[in-house]
């Protein structure tokens, strides 16, 4: 949730992966994932899978169904923080991490938590600083259809929105 930059002197690389580095911000103790290569919108950054599959959400899980929440494999994907102007998307139907905006080496990967989460385990106040920041992030169920229409959403979330509208 804290935006770090690879040029930020208070942040250090703590692990390297094929296409990304995990950074630790020593001031905030927040970890974040940064690309080490360039991506363009539509690129499949990687495939992901499920570690643990469980019926409830935690701060580490991604929702893939009504009572289905997964921990991410590869594990370092868990360090992708939220932004209200995300640059990647977890497609939980194809199990692909997809690029939404151009990424250059050093850029932090971010995704829109409500794009996968209907109801969040740990709501928080966002300070991503982007125009149109939604501030309270507590899951797609709390957002208007108009707000949700601005984002790429998983098939599961789109289905939940349709169910809610048909009530
Ligand atoms: Zn925000």
């Amino acid at each position: 949730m804290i935006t770090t930059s690879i040029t930020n002197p208070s942040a250090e690389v703590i692990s390297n992966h094929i296409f990304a580095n995990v950074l630790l911000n020593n001031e905030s103790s927040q970890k974040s994932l940064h690309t080490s290569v360039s991506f363009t919108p539509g690129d499949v950054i990687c495939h992901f899978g499920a570690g643990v599959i469980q019926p409830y959400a935690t701060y580490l899980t991604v929702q893939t169904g009504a009572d289905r929440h997964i921990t991410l494999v590869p594990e370092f994907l868990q360090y992708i923080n939220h932004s209200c102007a995300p640059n990647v998307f977890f497609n939980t139907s194809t199990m692909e991490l997809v690029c939404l905006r151009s990424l250059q080496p050093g850029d932090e990967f971010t995704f829109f938590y409500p794009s996968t989460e209907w109801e969040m385990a740990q709501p928080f106040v966002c300070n991503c600083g982007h125009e149109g920041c939604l501030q309270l992030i507590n899951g797609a169920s709390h957002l208007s259809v108009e707000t949700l229409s601005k984002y790429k959403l998983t098939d599961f979330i789109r289905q939940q929105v349709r169910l809610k509208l048909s009530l």
Side-chain angles (χ1 to χ4, degrees):
M1 295 119 212
I2 304 289
T3 302
T4 51
S5 156
I6 205 149
T7 55
N8 183 337
S10 65
E12 59 175 313
V13 174
I14 56 169
S15 61
N16 299 297
H17 305 277
I18 299 166
F19 59 85
N21 302 309
V22 178
L23 265 70
L24 171 67
N25 183 312
N26 290 308
E27 285 169 6
S28 64
S29 298
Q30 287 273 349
K31 290 174 186 164
S32 52
L33 191 71
H34 298 250
T35 187
S36 53
V37 296
S38 299
F39 291 104
T40 55
D43 282 354
V44 174
I45 295 166
C46 69
H47 285 79
F48 62 91
V52 176
I53 302 171
Q54 56 193 41
Y56 54 88
T58 72
Y59 73 101
L60 285 178
T61 56
V62 166
Q63 185 163 21
T64 59
D67 296 306
R68 198 170 188 276
H69 305 261
I70 66 169
T71 60
L72 294 166
V73 175
E75 244 177 72
F76 64 83
L77 297 178
Q78 71 182 257
Y79 299 117
I80 300 181
N81 293 320
H82 167 88
S83 170
C84 297
N87 53 33
V88 299
F89 171 67
F90 283 95
N91 185 328
T92 56
S93 297
T94 61
M95 303 300 271
E96 292 169 337
L97 181 66
V98 181
C99 178
L100 298 177
R101 294 168 197 254
S102 292
L103 286 164
Q104 301 302 319
D107 288 346
E108 180 180 354
F109 289 112
T110 58
F111 87 104
F112 184 62
Y113 283 10
S115 69
T116 62
E117 305 305 298
W118 184 243
E119 195 67 66
M120 281 177 45
Q122 291 183 12
F124 66 93
V125 175
C126 180
N127 51 20
C128 71
H130 289 285
E131 192 185 333
C133 174
L134 301 173
Q135 303 196 315
L136 180 62
I137 303 299
N138 50 3
S141 65
H142 300 275
L143 296 172
S144 69
V145 173
E146 190 197 351
T147 298
L148 289 172
S149 69
K150 296 173 187 162
Y151 292 94
K152 190 162 177 62
L153 307 170
T154 62
D155 291 336
F156 167 70
I157 294 295
R158 285 150 45 98
Q159 178 190 42
Q160 292 301 108
V161 171
R162 282 196 298 273
L163 282 171
K164 188 176 164 182
L165 291 177
S166 67
L167 287 179

